[in-house]
């Protein structure tokens, strides 16, 4: 165990799985001291290998807070535990960086929001694609009407669950467990957040949430929905956990042309007019860059920065859309947001 140096932030990482390790490593590089809370002690030891040395290791957030003080708390546990653990931290007036989504359902997200409002302690929500440089570039192009008024958008995410964490059985991964908050709709709600980030809340949605593959999981592995906007825009989103090869892209179709974004290859294609006038912008950023930007912003929040790229309210808006999709899947009808 290490001694905390004066002037260095002491951060508690709650949940030491893949994302917890990533946040811990990035915050360590920025000069923070790291402690960890996780009921799986082997995971605590794995995180310690990543950061070099922990200040302390605990089995829970409660044990950690009863033992020492922290400048910040990062919540990287399964979705089921997000509201409860965030509420514990906020009531101690400790600013939180919480992985998405905000909760398993809208009701629990609103309960968390009620607490957050009473204590006025900041919570930065980790819908990390908001910090991805190429997507910020796309957002600027859309705002500048590079392709004119946008009429139709397609979001596509397909990635086989067994390939996500090759070091463990996918059946043991929280994504396979319904009660922990796994599944395509919840975990890949990144794409719902991006839809809201680009265009705001839709007026209504119609969709289906289902399991159609032979994956040995309790959760949904396929989501398809159509979002309708008051200006006539239509946004179609597909998410699945069984596709190979992995593929992610967003296609924006406007009056004057099309913008096509993908992270692999890492580029934006802009096509204008009927003559197939193509312009390609290539980028060399890597996935961890957006997590580094999140860590940098979180440290600014700890220092008093009020403006945040992704807030709890953004997470609640995601849950509003998500709940409507769930309802539509049951009723087989369009549901207003």
């Amino acid at each position: 165990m290490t001694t905390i140096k004066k002037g260095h932030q002491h951060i508690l990482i709650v949940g030491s799985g893949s994302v917890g390790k990533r946040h811990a490593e990035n915050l360590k590089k920025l000069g923070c001291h790291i402690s960890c809370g996780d009921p799986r002690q082997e995971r605590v030891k794995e995180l310690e290998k990543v950061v070099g040395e922990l200040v302390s290791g605990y089995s829970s957030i409660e044990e950690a807070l009863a033992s020492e003080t922290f400048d910040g708390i990062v919540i990287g546990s399964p979705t089921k535990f997000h509201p409860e653990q965030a509420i514990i931290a906020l009531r101690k007036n400790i600013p939180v960086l919480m992985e998405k989504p905000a909760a398993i359902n809208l009701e629990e997200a609103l309960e968390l929001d009620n607490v957050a409002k009473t204590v006025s302690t900041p919570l930065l929500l980790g819908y990390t694609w908001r910090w991805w440089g190429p997507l910020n570039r796309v957002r600027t192009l859309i705002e500048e009407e590079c392709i004119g008024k946008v009429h139709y958008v397609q979001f596509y995410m397909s990635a086989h669950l067994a390939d996500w964490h090759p070091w463990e059985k996918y059946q043991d991964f929280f994504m396979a467990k319904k009660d922990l908050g796994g599944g395509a709709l919840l975990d890949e709600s990144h794409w719902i957040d991006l839809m809201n980030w680009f265009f705001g809340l839709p007026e209504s949605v119609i969709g289906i949430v289902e399991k159609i593959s032979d994956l040995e999981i309790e959760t949904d592995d396929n989501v398809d929905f159509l979002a309708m906007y008051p200006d006539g825009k239509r946004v179609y989103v597909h998410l699945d956990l069984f596709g190979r090869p992995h593929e992610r892209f967003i296609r924006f179709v406007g009056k004057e042309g099309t913008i096509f974004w993908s992270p692999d290859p890492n580029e934006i294609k802009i096509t204008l007019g009927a003559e197939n006038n193509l312009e390609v912008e290539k980028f060399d950023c890597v996935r961890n860059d957006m997590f580094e930007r999140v860590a940098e912003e979180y440290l600014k929040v700890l220092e008093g920065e009020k403006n945040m790229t992704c807030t709890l309210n953004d997470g609640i808006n995601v849950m509003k859309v998500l709940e409507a999709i769930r309802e539509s899947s049951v009723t087989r009808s369009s549901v207003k947001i």
Side-chain angles (χ1 to χ4, degrees):
M1 302 302 175
T2 190
T3 302
I4 300 175
K5 296 179 181 178
K6 186 177 180 180
H8 291 246
Q9 306 281 18
H10 185 194
I11 309 297
L12 175 67
I13 307 292
V14 181
S16 52
S18 177
V19 73
K21 291 174 184 174
R22 187 183 291 274
H23 284 307
E25 185 172 19
N26 288 331
L27 288 165
K28 178 77 172 184
K29 289 178 181 177
L30 292 171
C32 297
H33 292 298
I34 306 297
S35 287
C36 176
D38 196 306
R40 302 159 297 181
Q41 288 305 298
E42 73 279 4
R43 289 289 184 94
V44 176
K45 292 177 181 177
E46 289 173 7
L47 187 140
E48 185 165 22
K49 292 178 182 177
V50 169
V51 300
E53 190 175 25
L54 294 175
V55 175
S56 302
Y58 299 98
S59 61
S60 68
I61 185 174
E62 294 90 347
E63 181 186 3
L65 290 173
S67 302
E68 55 188 306
T69 59
F70 301 93
D71 298 295
I73 293 181
V74 175
I75 297 175
S77 53
T79 304
K80 173 183 178 179
F81 305 108
H82 288 184
E84 176 187 355
Q85 292 173 341
I87 286 171
I88 290 171
L90 294 176
R91 283 180 171 159
K92 292 284 188 178
N93 295 313
I94 304 173
V96 172
L97 167 57
M98 186 172 75
E99 268 302 301
K100 54 77 197 166
I104 285 179
N105 55 52
L106 179 59
E107 181 182 2
E108 292 186 7
L110 291 173
E111 290 174 1
L112 169 57
D113 188 49
N114 287 336
V115 173
K117 287 176 179 176
T118 61
V119 299
S120 299
T121 301
L123 186 153
L124 181 64
L125 190 60
Y127 277 111
T128 50
W129 285 106
R130 288 188 179 216
W131 284 266
W132 186 243
L135 279 175
N136 278 271
R137 170 64 175 151
V138 172
R139 194 164 182 247
T140 297
L141 290 171
I142 296 298
E143 290 172 348
E144 293 175 348
E145 297 189 342
C146 169
I147 56 171
K149 180 182 178 181
V150 175
H151 295 304
Y152 174 79
V153 185
Q154 179 188 10
F155 288 78
Y156 187 90
M157 194 297 299
S158 178
H160 200 288
L161 185 61
D163 304 329
W164 289 26
H165 290 178
W167 57 86
E168 65 179 337
K169 292 175 60 178
Y170 77 83
Q171 295 90 339
D172 298 332
F173 186 20
F174 93 90
M175 277 288 289
K177 311 295 183 182
K178 185 176 181 179
D179 68 321
L180 292 180
L185 182 62
L186 265 173
D187 194 75
E188 292 307 308
S189 57
H190 274 294
W191 307 97
I192 298 173
D193 177 66
L194 286 175
M195 178 184 75
N196 292 345
W197 188 53
F198 276 108
F199 306 115
L201 280 171
E203 187 174 59
S204 61
V205 297
I206 184 166
I208 187 165
V209 183
E210 57 192 341
K211 182 182 183 301
I212 63 175
S213 78
D214 58 359
L215 284 168
E216 298 172 15
I217 61 176
E218 306 167 356
T219 58
D220 56 276
D221 62 12
N222 189 79
V223 177
D224 288 282
F225 73 88
L226 181 67
M228 281 73 77
Y229 281 80
D231 64 354
K233 181 171 34 286
R234 299 292 181 257
V235 178
Y236 176 73
V237 180
H238 170 81
L239 314 169
D240 77 63
L241 304 181
F242 49 76
R244 284 180 172 137
H246 297 185
E247 188 174 12
R248 298 174 179 86
F249 66 79
I250 310 173
R251 177 184 285 111
F252 304 82
V253 181
K255 180 181 178 181
E256 307 297 336
T258 298
I259 296 173
F260 184 90
W261 166 83
S262 71
D264 186 22
N266 190 3
E267 63 185 21
I268 300 168
K269 294 179 180 178
I270 306 168
T271 308
L272 298 174
E275 285 74 35
N276 199 28
N277 181 18
L278 177 64
E279 177 184 338
V280 180
E281 295 186 23
K282 295 185 178 292
F283 301 86
D284 58 6
C285 46
V286 296
R287 186 167 182 262
N288 193 55
D289 288 352
M290 58 184 172
F291 288 93
E292 290 180 347
R293 301 294 85 76
V294 172
E296 290 166 359
E297 182 169 324
Y298 181 53
L299 293 187
K300 291 179 181 177
V301 169
L302 295 185
E303 294 168 359
E305 175 61 51
K306 301 298 182 183
N307 295 320
M308 294 185 288
T309 300
C310 190
T311 66
L312 180 54
N313 187 63
D314 294 316
I316 289 171
N317 283 338
V318 170
M319 297 308 300
K320 288 178 180 178
V321 176
L322 191 147
E323 294 274 294
I325 297 166
R326 285 172 170 164
E327 182 181 344
S328 176
S329 185
V330 172
T331 63
R332 294 294 196 269
S333 62
S334 176
V335 175
K336 289 187 176 181
I337 305 297

